[in-house]
Amino acid sequence: MPELPELEVVREVLQRRVVGQTITAVEVIPPGGAVVVRDLTQAGFAAALAGATIAAVVRRGKYLVFTLQAAITPLFLVLNPKLSGRLQLAGPADKRKARTWAIFKLSNGGQLRYYDQKQMGQLYLTHGLATVPDYAGLGPEPFDLSLEEFCERLKPHRGEIKGVLTRGEFVAGIGNAYADEILWEARLHPFRKRTQLTQEEIERLYQAMRSTLLASIDKVRQEMQEHIELKPRDFMAVHMKTGEPCPRCGTPISLVGANQRITNFCRKCQPGGLIKGM
Ligand SMILES: [Zn+2]
């Protein structure tokens, strides 16, 4: 699942490559298109978008929001890529990737394409962002939070710290992978309860959240370049590194869980916690 660092770099590329372009036509490809496209305007997805100009692209949490200039404004195209949704910049002659469900043809001759292996992502077209499911309840962006606000917002959450970090209402944009990275940087066991953390540990977590996300944006930017369909993660310290040496102490990285909800951590650098499933 793309998280804040990947989507932030995608946003940077789209800002350069598609802002100012007019959408000349939209092709929604059945059967997946009918699943991923959600027209909340009742005007018809392709009909409402044709002729619209992309005025801005912003990221909010794990959403990308395209602000459009169209006959009826405001108009927003909102992408929630979930597990496997990807955008791709392509030329008209470029071969379509499997499971491409929507193609936005641009006035410069290029195309913005959406493909999604699992068809779990969503593309919403709406006149108001409040109508997009789960969007209005998003917590603040990590870089907009002061340490004081972070501590204050943590108070009502009493459970395992990894679960708190990945809760979009607490702070937006952090998912399973980057929570592992942040907790490793902070040297905190992912399953420790928030109520067990000292003030010093909470401050370490806050600093690690910011430093890890910032450094990751830089690494993603270097590796992704213009290929917004990529999800570079080889540089990560612990996530998906089960059994590999911890970059700090050399201890083999531990794994808990399965499938999309795995947790990786270093049992030496991140001591304590009741370990589930071990
Ligand atoms: Zn370690």
Side-chain angles (χ1 to χ4, degrees):
M1 179 183 287
E3 300 179 25
L4 185 153
E6 291 113 8
L7 288 174
E8 187 57 30
V9 177
V10 171
R11 182 202 65 76
E12 291 175 0
V13 174
L14 292 175
Q15 183 73 31
R16 272 199 311 274
R17 298 279 301 271
V18 308
V19 167
Q21 295 299 313
T22 296
I23 298 170
T24 55
V26 179
E27 187 180 348
V28 176
I29 300 156
V35 177
V36 302
V37 163
R38 289 280 174 266
D39 174 24
L40 306 177
T41 69
Q42 314 301 327
F45 187 80
L49 280 168
T53 298
I54 302 171
V57 184
V58 300
R59 181 196 55 76
R60 177 79 176 95
K62 291 183 247 175
Y63 295 77
L64 282 178
V65 180
F66 296 76
T67 304
L68 301 160
Q69 282 169 348
I72 302 172
T73 54
L75 184 65
F76 304 98
L77 178 66
V78 182
L79 168 62
N80 180 7
K82 297 258 183 83
L83 220 50
S84 57
R86 296 275 190 283
L87 289 170
Q88 177 201 14
L89 288 162
D94 292 340
K95 190 170 180 295
R96 282 184 197 176
K97 287 184 181 291
R99 297 177 177 260
T100 293
W101 305 123
I103 296 177
F104 304 88
K105 296 173 184 172
L106 305 174
S107 47
N108 64 1
Q111 297 186 346
L112 181 63
R113 299 177 181 174
Y114 179 75
Y115 66 104
D116 191 339
Q117 291 300 317
K118 297 187 190 295
Q119 299 167 49
M120 284 170 67
Q122 304 269 249
L123 276 165
Y124 299 99
L125 188 66
T126 181
H127 293 304
L129 293 172
T131 62
V132 176
D134 302 327
Y135 189 90
L138 283 175
E141 293 290 323
F143 298 120
D144 292 344
L145 266 178
S146 68
L147 174 61
E148 292 69 29
E149 289 166 320
F150 183 78
C151 296
E152 200 53 40
R153 292 184 66 82
L154 263 183
K155 282 184 182 160
H157 301 282
R158 306 184 60 81
E160 292 166 350
I161 192 61
K162 180 172 177 183
V164 178
L165 267 188
T166 55
R167 199 166 295 161
E169 313 92 79
F170 168 65
V171 62
I174 299 170
N176 198 42
Y178 280 96
D180 281 357
E181 294 297 294
I182 290 165
L183 289 163
W184 177 80
E185 181 65 30
R187 304 181 188 219
L188 295 174
H189 192 290
F191 300 139
R192 284 181 65 196
K193 296 273 203 295
R194 193 282 298 165
T195 47
Q196 299 170 334
L197 301 182
T198 66
Q199 182 61 25
E200 192 267 329
E201 287 174 327
I202 289 172
E203 292 184 21
R204 231 158 63 203
L205 177 63
Y206 173 78
Q207 298 301 345
M209 173 181 77
R210 295 164 69 95
S211 63
T212 302
L213 292 173
L214 265 182
S216 301
I217 289 170
D218 271 346
K219 287 169 187 154
V220 171
R221 192 186 285 127
Q222 286 167 27
E223 295 192 25
M224 188 184 279
Q225 299 189 21
E226 304 289 296
H227 294 280
I228 57 174
E229 68 277 16
L230 300 180
K231 195 173 75 170
R233 288 191 166 175
D234 286 349
F235 60 82
M236 286 187 159
V238 290
H239 189 71
M240 299 300 282
K241 304 281 187 183
T242 307
E244 294 183 34
C246 165
R248 198 158 42 209
C249 75
T251 302
I253 299 298
S254 296
L255 165 73
V256 174
N259 300 326
Q260 300 297 332
R261 296 306 302 175
I262 73 162
T263 291
N264 287 118
F265 63 101
C266 171
R267 62 175 68 245
K268 184 160 180 218
C269 294
Q270 298 166 264
L274 283 170
I275 302 175
K276 292 192 300 194
M278 289 184 84

